Amino acid sequence: MKVSRFPQLTLRVIALLYLFVLLVVPVALIFYRSFEHGIGQFWDWITTPAAISALQLSLLIVLIVVPLNVVFGVFTAMALVRGRFRGRGVVEAIVDLPFAVSPIVVGVALILLWGYGGWFGGVESLGFRVIFGLPGMVLATIFVTLPFVVREVEPVLREIGTEQEEAAATLGANGWQTFWRITLPAIRWGLSYGVVLTIARSLGEYGAVIIVSSNLPGISQTLTLLVSSRYTDDYNEYGAYAAATLLMIIAIIVLLLMTLVQRRTGTNQIERRQASNESDAAADPAETAPKTQESELV
């Protein structure tokens, strides 16, 4: 009985149209409107002092948030996968909390903790400003990006198991040697995807950051806040499109770099395996000789 392909083709067309309308069309329109007046005008919009300052601040936040989330994410994932302790389910729920809580709520919570009159608000009397400053923006971004590395590394750790780590331990490797030489290389791609997601979310975060930021151009305005400010306050639609395009270009560059690194590393691994197999065959010809003689006798 021949099965009709019409339902399959229909589902594919619907899925492609869905993705095209929701993803491709809006992004393409932003690119088009950004360059509608020419590349020169686009360049002028993204090289204003406010835009340059916003880009620098956004990249600074990324440079602070990503290493912290990598360290926390890897060791939290290892604790959840390798460890057996009470309250493990509670920790799992806490890790997923940023997915469920609105970023606006995160910003308000940080103000209650670090703002004037908050639990830790006394640090401002020491000259350390958290809310409406860079530390508050970093804390807000860390909170909303916290689960990405954990959730990307955790399934990889479950998949690789503990056999190689146990073998390294029996050969005399200590904990750090096992981590650097066995665990980290095994989880590198899960970690890489977590880093990419963290970078993308850090660059695009708006809700939590706008609450704890003074949103002053050149002082505490990120690229995302610049897009909003140009569009709603300055009524500069094309300037907002240009800043949004700059954000997308940075995200695309990060994705391309990760893809190139992945392909390059995969190629190097294949070459090393081939070289290792060839060297093993050349180093031990005695094993192949009896097999050849046996095949000739047969």
Side-chain angles (χ1 to χ4, degrees), residues 4 19 39 51 86 88 93 111 134 163 168 172 179 187 194 201 209 216 236 244 246-247 253 264-265 268 285:
S4 175
L19 294 175
I39 297 178
R86 291 184 178 181
R88 190 159 157 264
I111 291 177
L134 177 62
E163 290 80 5
F179 174 77
I187 65 173
R201 182 62 188 272
V209 173
L216 296 176
N236 182 4
L246 181 59
L247 274 172
I253 290 174
R264 181 61 180 171
T265 305
N268 291 340

Side-chain angles (χ1 to χ4, degrees), residues 5 14 26 31 63 87 102 149 163 168 205 218 233 244-245 253 270 295:
R5 297 185 59 187
I14 293 174
F31 271 101
L63 290 176
S102 169
V149 173
E163 290 80 5
E205 178 54 34
D233 299 335
T245 300
I253 290 174
I270 294 174
S295 61

Side-chain angles (χ1 to χ4, degrees), residues 208-277:
V209 173
I210 189 64
I211 298 296
V212 299
S213 168
S214 57
N215 196 19
L216 296 176
I219 299 177
S220 58
Q221 190 176 70
T222 62
L223 269 178
T224 310
L225 301 184
L226 176 65
V227 173
S228 175
S229 178
R230 282 182 172 179
Y231 198 86
T232 59
D233 299 335
D234 302 336
Y235 301 102
N236 182 4
E237 294 184 5
Y238 295 103
Y241 298 148
T245 300
L246 181 59
L247 274 172
M248 290 189 292
I249 290 174
I250 295 173
I252 291 172
I253 290 174
V254 172
L255 290 174
L256 289 177
L257 288 176
M258 293 304 303
T259 302
L260 291 175
V261 170
Q262 181 179 5
R263 289 183 178 179
R264 181 61 180 171
T265 305
T267 303
N268 291 340
Q269 287 180 345
I270 294 174
E271 292 176 352
R272 285 196 296 268
R273 289 175 183 174
Q274 292 176 348
S276 177
N277 293 335

Side-chain angles (χ1 to χ4, degrees), residues 122-238:
V123 296
E124 291 194 6
S125 61
L126 302 176
F128 185 73
R129 190 177 185 85
V130 177
I131 302 301
F132 305 129
L134 177 62
M137 301 169 72
V138 170
L139 287 174
T141 307
I142 288 175
F143 187 98
V144 298
T145 58
L146 183 145
F148 292 117
V149 173
V150 179
R151 290 311 178 208
E152 291 296 328
V153 171
E154 189 175 355
V156 180
L157 285 172
R158 295 186 189 278
E159 182 180 356
I160 64 176
T162 60
E163 290 80 5
Q164 294 182 0
E165 296 173 356
E166 293 172 354
T170 58
L171 294 174
N174 57 36
W176 280 109
Q177 289 174 332
T178 302
F179 174 77
W180 285 110
R181 298 183 180 182
I182 303 297
T183 308
L184 187 59
I187 65 173
R188 64 186 181 278
W189 293 124
L191 180 60
S192 299
Y193 292 137
V195 168
V196 170
L197 293 175
T198 302
I199 293 174
R201 182 62 188 272
S202 299
L203 289 172
E205 178 54 34
Y206 176 81
V209 173
I210 189 64
I211 298 296
V212 299
S213 168
S214 57
N215 196 19
L216 296 176
I219 299 177
S220 58
Q221 190 176 70
T222 62
L223 269 178
T224 310
L225 301 184
L226 176 65
V227 173
S228 175
S229 178
R230 282 182 172 179
Y231 198 86
T232 59
D233 299 335
D234 302 336
Y235 301 102
N236 182 4
E237 294 184 5
Y238 295 103

